[in-house]
Amino acid sequence: MDLEQRLRILVVGGGLAGLAAAAYLRGRHEVTVLERFTLVDFARNDYAMSITANTHRFLRELGAEDWQLQAVPLKYVWGCDAKGNVNETVAQSITPSGATTIFARRSRIHKELLTAATSPRRAGTPAKIVENVKITSVDVEDGVIRTEDGRAFRGDLIIGADGVNSIVRAAILGTVAPSASPSGVAAYLCTVPRSALDSDPSLSFQTNADAGLATFRGSDADGRPKSRVLFYPADPNTFQIVAYHDESPWVERFEKSGSSIVPRVSQLSMLQTFDDFTDSVKRVLAQATSPDVWRIRDIDRMESWAKGKAVIVGDAAHAILPYFGLGCNLAIEDGEALGYFLSNVTSASELPQALARFAALRVARAHMVQLAGRQAAGLVSEEEKESLPPFDGKAFMAKVYAYFSAEQASKEMCG
Ligand SMILES: Cc1cc2nc3c(=O)[nH]c(=O)nc-3n(C[C@H](O)[C@H](O)[C@H](O)COP(=O)(O)OP(=O)(O)OC[C@H]3O[C@@H](n4cnc5c(N)ncnc54)[C@H](O)[C@@H]3O)c2cc1C
Ligand SMILES: *[C@@H]1O[C@H](CO)[C@@H](O)[C@H](O)[C@H]1NC(C)=O
Ligand SMILES: *[C@@H]1O[C@H](CO)[C@@H](O)[C@H](O)[C@H]1NC(C)=O
């Protein structure tokens, strides 16, 4: 493609969504990613996540191999009660495409997406990364963004991949832009060595070759999953702990600090929260690193993700509740979809139509996932409940897994 037929694309935010978009767009266009922090510091918020089979296939297309991700394949999902009884086992790892759902640390996925976006060995022009720039204003009509230190950048397209508190979203939607709403639940995030589970006969089912995720369910408050301890592999030698509980004790600290994370709280508070759980679970919690407390939030659905020269992707467009662990999957799917819908675009005048096609496909999918998260969290209104069929988790996951590519999904949508 001629140089002048390429778009100049500015991506605000170098998280998972921003780097995935850059990795898929660099083949045809000239991409610059602007990130307020440095990307070398991958250890920030380095929790482990599940990557469903369809997104795992995207990562492999982008050149990320399982060994680079230190991936652990997901073979089982176990449901347990607070006393440690295993009540259900669901095997769900293999999909028709042959890919596997995996667990991996966020830092590993982030690093591989950065490589995919910037490596000179892949087709197209390596994306340019500008670190330590905080974007403070966005002009969606002129395609200009300004930084805290007084610089301005101009592009044919601005992609807002700036997370749950997105300023690009605010610029697109103005006063009707939704902001993150608390779900009433917080989560302790920490890790333990695999040996902590391995050495306990009542937990060692998780450390066999058949790896997976175990949820220990405590009692529900107001029909909402406020007491849940999750163990799942972060890498071959480490397990991630995510422990959901009522957010009440932390609300004041979240609000005072203006942050949704309270870092490094005492282990004792975590142990007290899950005092009525089986000793095996408590022994593991006692061996964990000191936990961070995360406020669990999502944002209301938005019908419009694009305006003028700007579009939003990832958590900026559809921050969801984490009960199905699908936020990163949606972010990577968004990147692949932008790559597809912008693949034939050779001038800025063709952008509005391409963005409209992108949004038509992705808004519908993100809303399906967001609603499922709220149903799992017991957060749908009585009114909504009446208009909805009962939630079917298996049918939902089948739909998640069936998404093959933006091209195929848009063909199916158009019939
Ligand atoms: C506890 C927990 C567990 C999760 N588990 C899973 C899971 O198992 N599977 C899964 O798929 N997903 C999971 N997720 C969700 C997933 O982590 C997110 O959906 C994903 O990280 C969103 O990526 P993003 O790039 O859109 O946003 P972010 O990762 O938030 O990235 C936004 C980036 O933009 C930058 N930025 C923000 N504002 C500006 C600005 N003004 N100027 C410049 N840069 C800016 C930020 O520094 C950041 O780097 C989980 C989330 C949580 C909290
Ligand atoms: C799990 O199974 C045990 C018996 O094995 C039973 O006592 C317990 O009530 C079950 N818990 C749930 C949450 O279904
Ligand atoms: C781009 O062009 C190719 C070849 O004509 C076509 O197959 C593909 O569907 C087009 N992509 C989009 C997003 O329209």
Side-chain angles (χ1 to χ4, degrees), residues 12 16 101 183-184 195 203 262 342 381:
V12 181
L16 300 174
T101 295
S183 66
S195 58
L203 297 176
V262 180
L342 297 187
S381 65

Side-chain angles (χ1 to χ4, degrees), residues 144-156:
V144 176
I145 58 183
R146 292 181 200 284
T147 70
E148 195 172 47
D149 58 7
R151 280 182 280 172
F153 294 80
R154 180 183 292 274
D156 299 310

Side-chain angles (χ1 to χ4, degrees), residues 134-153:
K134 186 172 176 192
I135 306 308
T136 47
S137 86
V138 180
D139 184 328
V140 301
E141 299 309 331
D142 291 343
V144 176
I145 58 183
R146 292 181 200 284
T147 70
E148 195 172 47
D149 58 7
R151 280 182 280 172
F153 294 80

Side-chain angles (χ1 to χ4, degrees), residues 51-347:
I51 298 293
T52 58
N54 72 314
T55 316
H56 181 204
R57 190 170 40 74
F58 287 152
L59 285 174
R60 287 165 74 172
E61 272 173 22
L62 292 174
E65 298 293 337
D66 283 358
W67 64 268
Q68 292 165 313
L69 297 169
Q70 293 196 355
V72 179
L74 181 157
K75 302 221 173 130
Y76 285 97
V77 176
W78 293 282
C80 314
D81 64 17
K83 301 286 160 241
N85 303 305
V86 181
N87 290 51
E88 31 165 337
T89 305
V90 191
Q92 62 162 40
S93 65
I94 309 295
T95 65
S97 66
T100 311
T101 295
I102 55 165
F103 298 105
R105 283 178 185 272
R106 189 180 185 284
S107 59
R108 294 269 161 181
I109 300 162
H110 200 195
K111 181 161 177 278
E112 294 312 315
L113 289 173
L114 176 62
T115 302
T118 58
S119 165
R121 289 196 301 276
R122 293 187 65 238
T125 315
K128 203 172 130 199
I129 310 285
V130 184
E131 295 171 306
N132 302 312
V133 277
K134 186 172 176 192
I135 306 308
T136 47
S137 86
V138 180
D139 184 328
V140 301
E141 299 309 331
D142 291 343
V144 176
I145 58 183
R146 292 181 200 284
T147 70
E148 195 172 47
D149 58 7
R151 280 182 280 172
F153 294 80
R154 180 183 292 274
D156 299 310
L157 173 65
I158 296 166
I159 298 176
D162 48 346
V164 65
N165 299 316
S166 172
I167 84 153
V168 182
R169 178 174 75 230
I172 289 175
L173 289 160
T175 51
V176 298
S179 50
S181 46
S183 66
V185 174
Y188 294 104
L189 262 64
C190 48
T191 57
V192 277
R194 177 197 164 93
S195 58
L197 282 82
D198 215 10
S199 59
D200 184 329
S202 67
L203 297 176
S204 60
F205 66 93
Q206 291 181 72
T207 60
N208 295 331
D210 289 337
L213 178 149
T215 302
F216 297 85
R217 295 194 184 92
S219 56
D220 287 352
D222 8 303
R224 291 159 61 182
K226 282 195 179 164
S227 182
R228 297 271 188 280
V229 178
L230 274 58
F231 295 152
Y232 57 93
D235 62 43
N237 300 312
T238 316
F239 270 70
Q240 176 73 48
I241 298 174
V242 178
Y244 296 109
H245 57 287
D246 192 309
E247 70 166 4
S248 309
W250 306 105
V251 168
E252 208 183 307
R253 289 179 71 179
F254 290 136
E255 292 188 345
K256 248 191 200 148
S257 66
S259 164
S260 61
I261 305 174
V262 180
R264 291 172 185 277
V265 304
S266 87
Q267 219 137 24
L268 202 61
S269 68
M270 178 163 69
L271 284 169
Q272 278 165 354
T273 306
F274 298 99
D275 191 40
D276 56 340
F277 277 55
T278 174
D279 287 342
S280 289
V281 167
K282 283 191 282 188
R283 268 196 299 272
V284 172
L285 299 182
Q287 291 173 70
T289 54
S290 76
D292 296 335
V293 180
W294 284 60
R295 190 172 210 186
I296 303 300
R297 305 175 300 171
D298 71 355
I299 47 180
D300 286 342
R301 52 190 287 169
M302 288 165 265
E303 301 304 329
S304 105
W305 291 3
K307 186 179 174 194
K309 295 182 169 158
V311 64
I312 41 178
V313 296
D315 277 9
H318 46 68
I320 54 174
L321 299 174
Y323 297 108
F324 293 102
L326 294 170
C328 161
N329 292 288
L330 287 180
I332 295 174
E333 288 175 12
D334 286 345
E336 193 268 345
L338 274 178
Y340 171 66
F341 287 112
L342 297 187
S343 60
N344 299 336
V345 172
T346 54
S347 75

